[in-house]
């Protein structure tokens, strides 16, 4: 209990200092003291630890569950091994159907609190943190006993401190799954020298050290955590689950038909009609025999996915597509392109306006949001993936490329520090540094389209033969022993 008391003291002092530094009056800054009282009241009312608590695990993300695939995979893996999972997060986007149908997984939604809407920006941000602190404390203290709390970072403010204190009172093991550093993401918007960014870095370093165990997404991040913050972590690479695989032609056609009802690029040219044939831009199905084939002269399907945030500059792709258009106009034997960019995020409307301003004759672009069940089917139907994720820390890897590789889809990816841990240049894809280099790669890869004898076909063949490890096997090797050691 002494450890818990020390935890409460550190959290209280930190929140008071944050309030004072944010310009709050002393009475408002002392508000976190109420948190201490609340915790002690709740803690004093706790019953004895449930002897079956070791079979319960809480998976926490202070974000949209539906857009947190790695945490959903954690929940499914835990359920597969007989653990009861409480999955906590925002319900903005529909989680995967497997999550919704799993009897061992209970989703406990929390509200995405915004804080006050008036006053200085730092005051509004501080109020948001305080409101979220209260909410998360209440939720974590009220749920049934858990053997483990597994939390995603980022976002970690205020989740790391809150979860740590709650775990001390309740006797849970506390593990952080480091996807990136939160303060580096904030720095993209506010700059490295911003006061809030500096506070976030201090907070992340201080409270990150208090976790019982840590996972991270790359060896580079593992080394950085150890050297910079003295945090020992286990590398758990993102791996594709079985749903990411090459899509049979019949399923491709069914998806293209559905998407064609909403998105013009998936529809066949109005000039093309064939008797007894159901047509899309890419496939055709004989309505009498049911046979599905690729359409003659079909466009190449290029796909990228994004959260439309500052760490992905899609102007690079748009400029490369304009250069590709010039190659076609100059007489190079290249296919037309349909470029699909999936995802939701704050910069989507900005880029949609930019896309609408382009006058491209041989390239069609659409920006759909796909349900979790349709996304892997589309990846498995594509000809090439493009990744513009440029890690804010240089230490995480894009899950979108992991999913593409699961579908044996070759990738062109923008270079950053540890990308080599995933993309092997000239083996399973190509790495580029700017729009000019990407445009040249597109020209090279599609010069033999749709033949599978060129470089694009070689990359796909290498991916098929690579014997890629899947999520379940990877999780069982790296996480299950830890869970069993401390929960059983």
């Amino acid at each position: 209990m002494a450890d818990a008391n020390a935890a409460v003291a550190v959290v209280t002092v930190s929140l008071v200092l944050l309030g004072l530094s944010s310009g709050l009056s002393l009475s408002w800054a002392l508000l976190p003291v109420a948190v201490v009282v609340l915790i002690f009241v709740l803690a004093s009312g706790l019953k004895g630890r449930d002897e079956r608590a070791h079979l319960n695990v809480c998976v926490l993300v202070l974000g949209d569950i539906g857009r947190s695939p790695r945490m959903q995979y954690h929940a499914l893996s835990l359920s597969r091994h007989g653990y009861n999972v409480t999955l906590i997060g925002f319900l903005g986007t529909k989680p995967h159907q497997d999550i919704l149908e799993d009897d061992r997984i209970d989703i406990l939604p929390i509200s995405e609190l915004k804080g006050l809407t008036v006053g200085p920006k730092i005051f509004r941000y501080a109020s948001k943190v305080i409101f979220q602190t209260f909410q998360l404390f209440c939720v974590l203290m009220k749920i049934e006993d858990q053997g483990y709390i597994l939390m995603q970072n980022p976002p970690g403010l205020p989740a790391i401190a809150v979860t740590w204190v709650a775990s001390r009172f309740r006797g849970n093991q506390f593990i952080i799954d480091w996807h990136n550093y939160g303060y580096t993401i904030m720095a993209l918007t506010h700059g490295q020298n911003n006061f809030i960014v500096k506070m976030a870095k201090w907070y992340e370093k201080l409270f990150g050290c208090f976790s019982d165990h840590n996972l991270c997404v790359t060896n580079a991040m593992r080394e950085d955590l150890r050297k910079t913050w003295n945090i020992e972590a286990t590398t758990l690479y993102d791996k594709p689950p079985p749903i990411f695989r090459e899509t049979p032609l019949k399923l491709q056609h069914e998806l293209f038909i559905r998407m064609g009802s909403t998105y013009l690029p998936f529809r066949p040219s109005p000039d093309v009609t064939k008797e007894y044939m159901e047509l899309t831009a890419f496939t055709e199905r004989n309505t009498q025999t049911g046979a599905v084939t690729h359409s003659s002269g079909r466009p190449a399907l290029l796909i990228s996915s994004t959260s439309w945030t500052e760490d992905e500059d899609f102007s690079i792709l748009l400029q490369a597509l304009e250069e590709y258009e010039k190659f076609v106009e100059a007489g190079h034997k290249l296919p037309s392109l349909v470029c699909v960019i999936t995802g939701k995020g704050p910069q989507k409307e900005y880029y949609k306006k930019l896309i609408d301003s382009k006058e491209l004759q041989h390239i069609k672009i659409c920006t759909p949001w796909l349900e979790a069940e349709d996304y892997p089917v589309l990846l498995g139907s594509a000809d090439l993936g493009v990744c513009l994720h440029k890690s804010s820390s240089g230490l995480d890897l894009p899950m979108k490329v992991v999913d593409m590789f699961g579908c044996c889809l070759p990738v062109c990816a923008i270079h950053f520090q540890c990308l080599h841990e995933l993309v092997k240049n000239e083996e399973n894809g190509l790495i580029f540094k700017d729009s000019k280099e990407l445009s040249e790669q597109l020209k090279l890869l599609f010069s033999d389209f749709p033949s599978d004898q060129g470089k694009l076909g070689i990359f796909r063949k290498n991916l098929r033969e690579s014997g890629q490890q899947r999520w379940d096997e990877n999780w069982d090797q790296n996480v299950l022993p830890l869970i069993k050691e401390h929960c059983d």
Side-chain angles (χ1 to χ4, degrees), residues 454-484:
K455 191 175 286 288
L456 192 61
I458 293 172
F459 292 163
R460 191 181 289 271
K461 180 174 179 289
N462 291 342
L463 286 165
R464 287 171 179 156
E465 296 175 350
S466 65
Q468 300 176 70
Q469 189 181 51
R470 294 286 170 164
W471 172 268
D472 287 342
E473 180 184 355
N474 184 42
W475 194 91
D476 289 355
Q477 289 178 0
N478 292 286
V479 183
L480 184 61
L482 183 152
I483 298 291
K484 282 186 171 295

Side-chain angles (χ1 to χ4, degrees), residues 180-193:
N180 200 347
Y181 296 143
Y183 79 90
T184 63
I185 295 175
M186 294 174 68
L188 293 174
T189 302
H190 303 291
Q192 293 282 356
N193 296 321

Side-chain angles (χ1 to χ4, degrees), residues 346-379:
Q347 293 192 325
K348 183 170 183 177
E349 289 305 314
Y350 165 78
Y351 279 108
K352 282 185 68 176
K353 290 179 181 178
L354 194 58
I355 290 168
D356 292 340
S357 70
K358 305 295 181 184
E359 296 183 359
L360 302 172
Q361 301 301 314
H362 303 279
I363 299 170
K364 297 178 181 178
I365 304 173
C366 64
T367 57
W369 169 254
L370 296 174
E371 294 295 337
E373 292 74 26
D374 283 339
Y375 178 62
V377 179
L378 183 60
L379 286 189

Side-chain angles (χ1 to χ4, degrees), residues 15-302:
L15 289 175
V16 170
L17 289 175
L18 178 61
L20 290 173
S21 63
S22 302
L24 298 178
S25 65
L26 181 62
S27 58
W28 276 97
L30 289 175
L31 184 61
V33 175
V35 176
V36 178
V37 176
L38 175 63
I39 295 172
F40 275 106
V41 170
L42 289 172
S44 64
L46 290 176
K47 298 179 181 178
R49 185 164 177 77
D50 190 329
E51 62 180 9
R52 296 172 296 176
H54 67 279
L55 294 175
N56 301 329
V57 180
C58 173
V59 177
L60 168 65
V61 51
L62 199 62
D64 187 349
I65 293 175
R67 296 170 65 189
S68 304
R70 181 173 165 108
M71 303 313 286
Q72 294 185 74
Y73 299 162
H74 276 304
L76 289 168
S77 293
L78 287 161
S79 172
R80 183 166 52 87
H81 285 281
Y83 293 94
N84 302 309
V85 180
T86 302
L87 181 55
I88 300 176
F90 305 149
L91 272 185
T93 304
K94 178 187 172 186
H96 196 280
Q97 195 63 31
D98 288 348
I99 293 284
L100 299 175
E101 294 176 354
D102 196 312
D103 292 337
R104 291 186 180 273
I105 300 175
D106 289 326
I107 296 177
L108 181 55
I110 55 177
S111 302
E112 188 173 0
L113 302 177
K114 299 296 185 181
L116 300 178
T117 58
V118 295
K121 188 173 183 180
I122 193 168
F123 177 82
R124 286 181 275 131
Y125 184 76
S127 68
K128 175 182 176 181
V129 170
I130 292 171
F131 293 160
Q132 287 184 332
T133 297
F134 272 108
Q135 176 183 224
L136 196 52
F137 262 131
C138 290
V139 170
L140 292 177
M141 297 301 281
K142 286 181 179 179
I143 60 175
E144 63 181 321
D145 280 349
Q146 305 287 318
Y148 232 128
I149 300 179
L150 172 59
M151 194 207 87
Q152 172 184 306
N153 181 66
L157 182 65
I160 299 179
V162 173
T163 306
W164 170 58
V165 173
S167 69
R168 298 308 84 168
F169 275 109
R170 306 206 56 172
N172 312 132
Q173 289 284 309
F174 173 36
I175 185 168
I176 299 175
D177 190 0
W178 297 82
H179 296 194
N180 200 347
Y181 296 143
Y183 79 90
T184 63
I185 295 175
M186 294 174 68
L188 293 174
T189 302
H190 303 291
Q192 293 282 356
N193 296 321
N194 183 273
F195 172 75
I196 294 179
V197 174
K198 290 182 177 180
M199 285 291 295
K201 182 177 181 180
W202 168 84
Y203 164 89
E204 209 165 2
K205 179 179 180 180
L206 173 65
F207 291 101
C209 292
F210 293 155
S211 59
D212 296 300
H213 304 283
N214 299 273
L215 302 173
C216 62
V217 293
T218 64
N219 285 332
M221 179 170 283
R222 183 190 66 194
E223 288 302 307
D224 190 75
L225 282 166
R226 182 178 62 82
K227 291 179 180 179
T228 307
W229 291 356
N230 197 32
I231 293 175
E232 296 294 334
T234 298
T235 302
L236 178 71
Y237 283 116
D238 285 318
K239 298 291 182 180
I243 58 173
F244 288 94
R245 59 187 183 273
E246 291 186 82
T247 304
L249 200 54
K250 182 180 178 181
L251 290 182
Q252 290 186 32
H253 181 78
E254 292 173 359
L255 176 65
F256 296 153
I257 288 290
R258 292 200 304 274
M259 295 196 68
S261 64
T262 306
Y263 304 103
L264 288 174
F266 287 86
R267 299 176 189 175
S269 170
D271 301 330
V272 178
T273 56
K274 293 184 179 180
E275 191 175 10
Y276 305 120
M277 299 298 283
E278 182 182 54
L279 305 177
T280 74
F282 307 93
T283 55
E284 50 189 52
R285 184 181 74 88
N286 188 306
T287 55
Q288 293 184 319
T289 66
V292 179
T293 58
H294 279 121
S295 301
S296 175
R298 69 181 176 95
L301 180 55
L302 185 72

